[in-house]
């Protein structure tokens, strides 16, 4: 009876294969009958288990033997679970065990091409096609691969959400079309190809499971869709085979690569060849059959592997960092890859090998024993169908320690590369002819994408396994952030780690700077800092001023749209130059991420200004304003607030912050925002009770409130959000990092207190300013209090540099995060020394 197929496309998750400490013992007698797997259901056999969880079921069979029988309805199939026996099947027994039912389905549809042929016909066809994949052609292919990927990635936009599997399918198809065929498909043909491919794959596996081949001729829906897909693919391939190389200027690399190839394109090579069996030229049907083979083999598996590669890099940012560092060294940005350059990318090759191992796309491959054969200790009768899964073999815990862990290091120094256990491209005479092409395509495409873009995972949209005849990656969506070279910040040390001379040249602003520097007590100079000054006031401008000004314009529109500001308030508000603070503190941020940070800072500034008024002295009003903001951080019904404008804008900001974040980051950020927002009603309660700093509230408690109320902790968390990955969990667990974060928040807060001193002193409400607190608590002069705060900032910076060195040595994958905390403090200092935010009307300038 026909098997039920409605669950065939059920999404599966990787399941841990039941562990084996050693390969199962061989039977004591030769020609043993393979054992029957337990759990067969009358009538269906093991079909339900196979369809319900293909990889879990196939992986579990290794416990029972190197070859295990299963029943699929009335059919008995032998599953080969031992990689050494699979290698024997593909090499020593290749002649006696040709391809099986899955390939036969495509043979009926597309003819006797390289993928489907056997024996002498296969050898003849392979000799004809082999020159297309010779070493002399690789340089030309690399140039086309690079150009195609650059063109496609160049059409993406910052902030765009990308369906990665879909985009990689389009990319792989275009690479094959232009590299091998020297042609460009129309957009309609490309879309038709991708729509037809799933029906082709589904029909292929369903028809291979039919109890009788005659069922494939019945007008069943799956058969009709399969036949329609075959017609579509033939039309698409005809367009590629009969099309001409492009003639517009973007095809220059393609044309150069074509003219450098002996024999030209693959269709030209095939048409010039003679069939050794007949002595006649190949027919157009033969050319189409080989083209179909190249389209199928060169598109789906490569695009799936590229998708898994990007997904694994998202999960392992330390691996991504090492890959990018290696690319910087051996394949500089803007250079066309060469075979020699790829040969030097040892770590990148280890990464791609590990992706191919963990996510081997071939879930089901089959052979059929035409004569009785011995496979290890087992006797296989003639006519037996033999099934093996490269995905399951590559996750065998006997062959690979921690098989479900992504560990590129297992491939370094040749480790784990034993041929019998690693068979991504098969083995023997049927080994994939395009292996070198595929490895190169993976590396070149990934390099071009990662050079230009930093993908950021969209929450709930990670890659998941969907098993057809291949293990596909579905569901991965990323938000694109431009990847730019790190903006260098030169630091000139002047006797202490925290002391840096200001760079030469005026500040990137046309506003006047304050005449007195709270750190030195001397006049600021517009050029270089004087020797011996404690702290520089401005790092180099990290990006073109026009980019920051455009972000400021967008933020002003956003603030007015949400009702946070009236149009008449904009001139004074713009003078704060909040965008410049973000520009200094986050020198690598661009596009949508830049807008997010400027909007966050602007929203927090408007909130802070509210507490200069009545809410800053009235706890009830303070709680009414802040509690709904805090409640937004928790799941569940969203509250209302007296000031709906602040709440509405905050909801949008929280969604934008957390939309691409991991659960761990979201929990950490929510905790820090709660602590930050809670300081506003806490300070209001102190003012209402009269327990203000130095009058019932000690210096330590004042610093704690200031540390959390400064918003520095949330902005340290944002370092991970804009980087696109969490800092390593082991780094977050370090007490030293907690100290570094606290020091960072304190240093930035104290710098702010120095520059905001005059403004806060003139407020009607008691100010939580450290300088004023020291004056009251110690009864000292203003100058002594400023000197004490200045000395504390210097101490915090020295301590932080020591902490960064220690943490960076023990957690090198988190250096970007450690450096980001330094840039935050530097950015706060640069901005506070130039902004009008803390200018007192009628005061000094």
């Amino acid at each position: 009876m026909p098997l039920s197929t409605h669950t065939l496309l059920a999404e599966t998750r990787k399941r841990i294969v039941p562990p084996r400490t050693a390969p199962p013992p061989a039977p004591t007698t030769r020609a043993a009958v393979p054992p029957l797997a337990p759990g067969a259901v009358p009538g269906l056999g093991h079909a339900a288990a196979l369809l319900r969880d293909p990889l879990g079921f196939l992986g579990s069979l290794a416990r029972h033997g190197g070859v295990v029988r299963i029943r699929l309805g009335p059919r008995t199939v032998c599953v080969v679970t031992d990689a050494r026996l699979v290698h024997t099947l593909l090499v020593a027994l290749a002649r006696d065990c040709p391809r099986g039912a899955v390939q036969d389905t495509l043979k009926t549809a597309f003819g006797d091409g390289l993928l489907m042929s056997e024996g002498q016909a296969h050898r003849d066809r392979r000799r004809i096609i082999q020159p297309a994949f010779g070493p002399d052609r690789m340089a030309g292919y690399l140039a086309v691969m690079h150009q195609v990927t650059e063109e496609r990635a160049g059409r993406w936009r910052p902030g765009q959400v990308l369906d990665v599997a879909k985009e990689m399918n389009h990319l792989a198809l275009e690479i094959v079309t232009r590299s091998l065929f020297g042609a460009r498909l129309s957009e309609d043909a490309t879309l038709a190809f991708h729509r037809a491919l799933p029906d082709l794959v589904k029909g292929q596996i369903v028809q291979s499971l039919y109890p009788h081949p005659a069922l494939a001729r019945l007008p069943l829906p799956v058969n009709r869709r399969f036949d329609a897909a075959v017609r579509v693919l033939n039309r698409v391939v005809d367009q590629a085979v009969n099309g001409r190389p492009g003639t517009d200027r973007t095809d220059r690399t393609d044309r150069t690569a074509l003219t450098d190839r002996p024999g030209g394109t693959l269709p030209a090579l095939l048409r010039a060849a003679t069939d050794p069996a007949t002595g006649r030229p190949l027919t157009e049907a033969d050319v189409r059959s080989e083209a179909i083979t190249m389209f199928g083999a060169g598109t789906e598996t490569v695009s799936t592997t590229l998708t898994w590669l990007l997904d694994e890099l998202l999960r392992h940012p330390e691996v991504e960092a090492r890959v990018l560092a290696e690319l910087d060294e051996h394949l500089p940005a803007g250079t066309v890859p060469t075979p020699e350059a790829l040969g030097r990318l040892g770590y990148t090759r280890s990464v791609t090998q590990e992706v191919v191992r963990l996510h081997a796309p071939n879930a089901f491959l089959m052979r059929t024993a035409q004569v009785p054969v011995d496979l290890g200790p087992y006797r296989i009768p003639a006519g037996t169908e033999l099934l093996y899964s490269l995905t399951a073999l590559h996750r065998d815990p006997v062959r690979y320690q921690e098989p479900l862990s992504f560990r590129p290091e297992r491939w370094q120094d040749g480790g784990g590369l034993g041929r019998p256990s690693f068979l991504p491209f098969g083995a023997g005479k049927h080994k994939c002819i395009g292996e070198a092409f595929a490895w190169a395509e993976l590396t070149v495409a990934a390099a071009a994408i990662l050079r230009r873009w930093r993908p950021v995972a969209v929450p709930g949209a990670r890659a998941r396994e969907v098993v057809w005849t291949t293990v596909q990656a579905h569901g991965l969506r990323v938000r694109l952030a431009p990847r730019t070279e790190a903006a260098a910040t030169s630091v000139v040390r002047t006797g202490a780690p925290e002391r840096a001379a200001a760079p030469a040249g005026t500040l990137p602003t046309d506003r006047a700077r304050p005449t007195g520097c709270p750190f030195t007590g001397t006049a600021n100079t517009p050029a270089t800092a004087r020797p011996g000054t404690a702290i520089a006031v401005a790092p180099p401008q990290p990006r073109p001023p026009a980019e920051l000004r455009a972000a400021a314009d967008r933020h002003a529109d956003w603030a007015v749209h949400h009702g946070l500001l009236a149009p008449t308030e904009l001139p004074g508000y713009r003078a704060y130059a909040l965008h410049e603070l973000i520009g200094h503190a986050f020198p690598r941020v661009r596009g949508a991420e830049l807008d997010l940070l400027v909007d966050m800072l602007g929203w927090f500034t408007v909130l802070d200004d509210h507490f200069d008024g009545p809410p800053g002295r009235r706890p009830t009003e303070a709680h009414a304003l802040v509690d709904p903001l805090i409640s937004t951080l928790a799941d569940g019904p969203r509250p209302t607030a007296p000031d709906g404008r602040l709440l509405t804008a905050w909801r949008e900001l929280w969604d934008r912050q957390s939309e691409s974040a991991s659960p761990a980051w979201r929990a950490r950020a929510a905790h820090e925002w709660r602590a930050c927002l809670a300081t506003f009603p806490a300070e209001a309660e102190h003012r209402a009770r009269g327990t203000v700093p130095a009058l019932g509230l000690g210096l330590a408690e004042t610093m704690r409130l200031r540390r959390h109320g400064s918003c520095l902790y949330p902005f340290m968390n944002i370092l991970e959000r804009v980087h696109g990955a969490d800092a390593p969990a082991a780094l977050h667990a370090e007490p030293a990092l907690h100290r570094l974060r606290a020091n960072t928040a304190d240093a930035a807060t104290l710098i702010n207190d120095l520059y905001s001193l005059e403004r806060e002193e003139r407020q009607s409400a008691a100010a939580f300013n450290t300088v004023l607190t020291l004056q009251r608590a110690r009864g000292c002069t203003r100058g002594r209090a400023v000197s004490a705060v200045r000395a504390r900032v210097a101490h915090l910076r020295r301590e932080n540099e020591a902490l960064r060195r220690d943490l960076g040595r023990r957690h090198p994958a988190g250096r970007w995060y450690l450096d980001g905390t330094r840039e935050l403090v530097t950015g706060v200092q640069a901005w506070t020394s130039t902004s009008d935010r803390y200018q007192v009307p009628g005061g000094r300038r």
Side-chain angles (χ1 to χ4, degrees):
M1 58 178 286
L3 298 178
S4 172
T5 61
H6 72 281
T7 60
L8 190 59
L9 304 182
E11 296 168 0
T12 64
R13 301 182 63 84
K14 289 183 285 187
R15 304 178 68 175
I16 298 177
V17 178
R20 292 186 288 133
T21 57
T28 57
T29 59
R30 297 291 295 172
V33 176
L36 179 67
V41 176
L44 291 176
H46 300 92
L50 178 63
L51 293 173
R52 181 171 57 249
D53 182 11
L55 299 183
F57 174 72
L58 292 173
S60 71
L61 298 178
R63 291 177 296 177
H64 307 293
V67 179
V68 181
R69 287 179 295 137
I70 64 172
R71 289 180 178 150
L72 301 177
R75 297 160 57 187
T76 296
V77 175
C78 284
V79 181
V80 187
T81 68
D82 189 310
R84 294 170 302 179
L85 298 183
V86 171
H87 191 269
T88 298
L89 176 67
L90 300 181
V91 180
L93 300 179
R95 180 176 180 180
D96 296 330
C97 299
R99 300 170 191 262
V102 175
Q103 285 84 357
D104 288 344
T105 303
L106 291 182
K107 183 175 181 179
T108 302
F110 297 118
D112 198 11
L114 182 67
L115 183 64
M116 283 72 74
S117 60
E118 293 287 347
Q120 187 62 44
H122 175 83
R123 288 191 291 273
D124 291 342
R125 193 60 58 86
R126 191 177 183 97
R127 290 193 190 100
I128 293 172
I129 297 175
Q130 187 65 58
F133 296 96
D136 57 331
R137 294 199 169 209
M138 189 52 66
Y141 289 150
L142 294 179
V144 177
M145 293 172 185
H146 176 72
Q147 177 172 328
V148 170
T149 311
E150 286 287 345
E151 289 174 3
R152 189 152 203 97
R155 294 195 288 269
W156 303 340
R157 292 292 176 264
Q160 176 182 349
V161 174
L162 209 66
D163 182 329
V164 178
K166 179 180 178 181
E167 196 66 21
M168 294 305 101
N169 270 324
H170 283 268
L171 174 62
L173 177 63
E174 191 171 358
I175 286 175
V176 167
T177 305
R178 288 171 59 177
S179 296
L180 297 180
F181 297 88
R184 288 177 182 261
L185 294 177
S186 67
E187 188 64 23
D188 288 344
T190 300
L191 293 175
F193 179 89
H194 291 300
R195 283 195 296 264
L197 199 58
D199 288 332
L200 180 79
V201 175
K202 283 183 276 187
Q204 176 190 10
I205 189 170
V206 170
Q207 292 187 14
S208 70
L209 293 174
Y210 282 152
H212 194 281
L215 291 172
R217 296 192 292 272
L218 296 178
L220 302 174
V222 66
N223 293 340
R224 291 200 303 270
R225 288 193 293 268
F226 177 80
D227 293 340
V230 169
R231 290 192 295 272
V232 168
L233 263 63
N234 273 306
R235 287 199 300 270
V236 172
V237 170
D238 281 345
Q239 184 182 127
V241 168
N242 298 316
R244 297 177 180 176
T247 56
D248 62 79
R249 66 178 182 273
T250 63
D251 287 316
R252 186 176 299 123
T253 299
D254 298 22
R255 295 199 303 274
T256 301
L258 286 172
T259 56
D260 288 344
R261 303 175 194 168
T265 65
L266 178 63
L269 184 71
L270 293 169
R271 287 173 175 138
T274 300
D275 188 339
T278 64
R280 298 174 181 173
L282 298 184
T283 67
E284 285 302 306
D286 292 329
V287 174
R288 181 188 297 109
S289 179
E290 300 307 340
I292 285 282
T293 298
M294 297 306 159
F295 269 86
T299 299
E300 184 184 14
T301 55
V302 172
S303 66
T304 297
T305 304
L306 273 172
T307 303
W308 283 121
L309 173 59
L310 294 178
D311 185 72
E312 291 294 352
L313 293 181
L314 286 171
R315 298 175 191 272
H316 301 87
E318 71 282 1
V319 174
E320 180 190 46
R322 287 191 62 181
V323 168
L324 287 168
E326 187 173 69
L327 292 175
D328 287 340
E329 181 178 0
H330 298 298
L331 192 62
T335 60
V336 176
T338 64
E340 294 75 22
L342 294 191
R344 293 190 291 269
L345 301 177
Y347 183 74
T348 303
R349 178 60 177 260
S350 296
V351 171
T352 55
Q353 284 176 317
E354 181 66 352
V355 172
V356 170
R357 180 202 66 81
L358 183 56
H359 302 289
N362 299 110
F364 305 105
L365 292 168
M366 298 186 75
R367 294 290 187 270
T368 301
Q370 290 188 331
V371 297
V373 296
D374 288 338
L375 190 55
Y378 305 103
R379 185 66 170 174
I380 308 298
T384 301
E385 293 178 290
L386 295 153
L387 182 148
Y388 61 97
S389 169
L390 292 184
T391 314
L393 291 173
H394 288 174
R395 296 177 183 177
D396 185 348
V398 172
R399 306 295 174 193
Y400 300 96
Q401 293 183 356
E402 301 179 38
L404 297 185
S405 297
F406 181 73
R407 294 174 49 196
E409 62 272 15
R410 74 172 86 235
W411 299 100
Q412 294 183 310
D413 300 322
L417 197 56
R419 290 307 303 165
S421 64
F422 187 60
L423 305 166
F425 294 93
K429 66 178 185 179
H430 287 289
K431 184 180 179 182
C432 177
I433 197 172
E435 178 179 7
F437 185 96
W439 283 122
E441 183 179 356
L442 289 173
T443 304
V444 172
I449 291 170
L450 294 174
R451 287 284 197 193
R452 185 183 291 259
W453 298 105
R454 177 168 55 81
V456 180
V458 174
R462 303 306 293 264
R464 63 185 186 277
E465 290 182 334
V466 176
V467 181
W468 295 343
T469 51
T470 57
V471 184
Q472 301 195 349
H474 281 203
L476 179 62
R477 294 191 301 126
V478 300
R479 188 177 301 280
L480 296 171
R483 190 187 300 277
T484 57
E485 296 298 325
T489 302
S490 61
V491 176
V492 180
R493 300 194 180 274
T494 56
E498 81 287 356
R499 293 179 181 177
T506 59
L507 289 169
T509 175
D510 55 4
R511 292 189 305 280
R513 295 165 53 190
T515 57
C517 175
F519 288 101
T520 63
T522 59
N524 290 324
T525 58
T528 59
R530 295 165 55 183
T533 54
I535 303 173
V537 296
Q541 180 75 347
R543 58 176 63 72
E547 186 174 352
L548 284 175
R549 287 196 295 270
D553 292 341
R554 291 190 294 270
H555 169 66
D557 293 340
W558 179 86
V560 171
H561 171 75
H562 282 281
L564 300 177
L565 295 169
T568 55
E569 297 175 294
L570 284 179
Y573 178 79
R574 281 180 175 272
Y576 296 167
L578 299 177
H579 59 287
E580 291 186 3
L581 172 53
I582 297 301
H584 290 306
F586 296 88
R588 297 162 192 80
V589 174
R590 299 290 191 274
E593 307 292 349
L594 177 62
D595 289 341
L596 170 63
L597 292 180
V598 176
D599 289 346
M600 282 176 56
L601 182 61
W603 176 87
F604 184 79
T605 300
V606 172
L607 174 70
D608 186 62
D609 286 348
H610 271 63
F611 286 87
D612 290 342
R617 300 181 299 274
R618 300 171 186 171
T620 301
E621 292 184 25
H623 278 287
L625 192 60
V626 169
D627 289 352
L629 304 176
I630 294 176
S631 297
T632 297
L633 300 169
D635 296 331
R638 293 195 163 184
T640 58
D643 192 330
R645 297 166 299 174
L646 273 170
L647 180 59
T648 300
W650 169 241
R651 286 173 178 169
E652 180 201 296
L653 286 174
W654 176 242
D655 288 343
R656 286 163 63 190
Q657 289 175 67
S658 58
E659 67 178 351
S660 301
S662 69
W665 185 93
R666 188 183 178 98
R668 190 162 55 246
H671 172 77
E672 302 297 1
W673 271 117
R674 290 188 192 98
C676 172
L677 296 172
T679 62
F680 289 105
E683 290 183 0
E685 289 172 357
H686 282 298
R687 293 189 184 103
R689 293 196 304 264
T691 55
V692 293
L695 297 175
L697 190 66
L699 181 61
E701 179 64 12
T702 300
M703 279 304 304
R704 188 191 69 79
L705 286 172
R706 297 290 293 126
R707 176 186 301 152
H708 288 284
S710 66
C711 200
L712 260 294
Y713 274 110
F715 272 93
M716 278 187 277
N717 293 330
I718 286 292
L719 287 169
E720 297 172 282
R721 168 66 171 77
V722 299
H723 183 74
D726 293 6
L731 177 61
H732 273 298
E734 288 273 8
L737 182 71
H738 300 171
R739 180 62 177 266
L740 174 68
R741 282 164 56 91
N743 287 354
T744 300
D746 285 353
T749 298
L750 293 174
I751 292 170
N752 182 279
D753 284 351
L754 288 168
Y755 283 96
S756 64
L757 177 59
E758 291 187 27
R759 179 177 181 268
E760 292 182 337
E761 192 174 30
R762 297 194 183 194
Q763 292 175 359
S764 58
F768 284 68
N769 182 290
T770 313
V771 176
L772 298 177
T773 301
L774 282 174
Q775 282 187 262
R776 297 189 194 110
R778 299 181 180 177
C780 62
T781 64
R782 173 67 55 83
R784 283 182 175 272
V786 167
S787 295
V789 171
R790 194 167 64 232
R792 179 61 178 167
V793 172
H795 171 77
L796 292 172
R797 285 190 159 185
R798 283 194 298 271
E799 183 175 353
N800 272 6
E801 286 306 318
L803 290 170
R804 286 189 190 97
R805 286 194 295 271
D806 177 58
L807 289 169
R809 184 170 56 253
R810 291 187 286 115
H811 303 280
R815 283 199 180 100
W816 59 268
Y817 182 87
L818 303 174
D819 292 341
T821 61
R822 180 193 297 111
E823 291 168 345
L824 268 174
V825 176
T826 302
V828 168
Q829 183 185 332
W831 175 76
T832 50
S833 67
T834 61
S835 173
D836 284 353
R837 166 74 173 163
Y838 301 118
Q839 292 298 316
V840 177
R844 293 180 302 156
R845 290 193 60 84

